[in-house]
Amino acid sequence: MINRHPQGRIEGGLCSDDGFDYFALWLVAQGQGTYKAVLADPDALADVAEVRALVGRHPREWCDDEWPEWEELDYVAQEVFDELTGQEDDCLEAFYEALDAVQETWAKPEEEIDTVKATVRTGTPRLDALFPAGAGS
């Protein structure tokens, strides 16, 4: 099975559920402009300097801090919540209840961008050229 997700293409087919989440966090950390550009056109990843720095190198050659993922960012909100509320570590139930309450107040976007549909619709020819199928195997 060919992994059509841009992250899977960059990482030579390595794209677990957790890995995708960490990639999404990394993408958010690249800034609003990059994030929005990639949501609108996943092939825009080909323009990101940190992605281009990986071209031509097998993932096994990448340093830990070069991987386009940021697992630690997943824990920042929980840590801040714990600190502000005086909760003990790993009080996930209270954290998720508070998160749900906040999310209910958010305005719903008129049109959400579906990255998977955008990838299938437009493809990622520039990203595919930088990271050919099978090159990371």
Side-chain angles (χ1 to χ4, degrees):
M1 177 178 183
I2 296 174
N3 188 329
R4 290 298 307 153
H5 187 274
Q7 178 218 3
R9 169 66 73 192
I10 294 167
E11 295 182 5
L14 305 173
C15 185
S16 67
D17 290 344
D18 286 347
F20 176 78
D21 289 344
Y22 305 149
F23 171 79
L25 292 167
W26 173 86
L27 183 58
V28 167
Q30 301 312 300
Q32 187 176 19
T34 299
Y35 176 76
K36 285 184 175 183
V38 171
L39 284 182
D41 177 13
D43 208 26
L45 279 168
D47 299 326
V48 177
E50 291 82 357
V51 171
R52 295 187 72 81
L54 303 173
V55 173
R57 295 170 44 217
H58 192 280
R60 281 180 266 171
E61 298 172 357
W62 302 351
C63 297
D64 288 345
D65 61 347
E66 289 184 298
W67 281 84
E69 58 185 36
W70 196 356
E71 178 181 0
E72 294 81 16
L73 193 56
D74 198 23
Y75 307 105
V76 171
Q78 171 74 47
E79 290 172 10
V80 170
F81 177 81
D82 289 348
E83 185 175 315
L84 290 174
T85 62
Q87 298 286 329
E88 294 295 319
D89 289 338
D90 297 327
C91 186
L92 292 176
E93 186 175 337
F95 172 71
Y96 285 118
E97 286 174 5
L99 182 60
D100 287 342
V102 169
Q103 287 177 337
E104 288 175 11
T105 67
W106 293 350
K108 302 291 183 208
E110 290 181 23
E111 181 183 335
E112 292 185 18
I113 298 171
D114 185 327
T115 305
V116 174
K117 286 182 183 175
T119 302
V120 171
R121 182 181 67 244
T122 64
T124 54
R126 294 182 305 135
L127 200 57
D128 293 350
L130 293 174
F131 299 95
S137 303

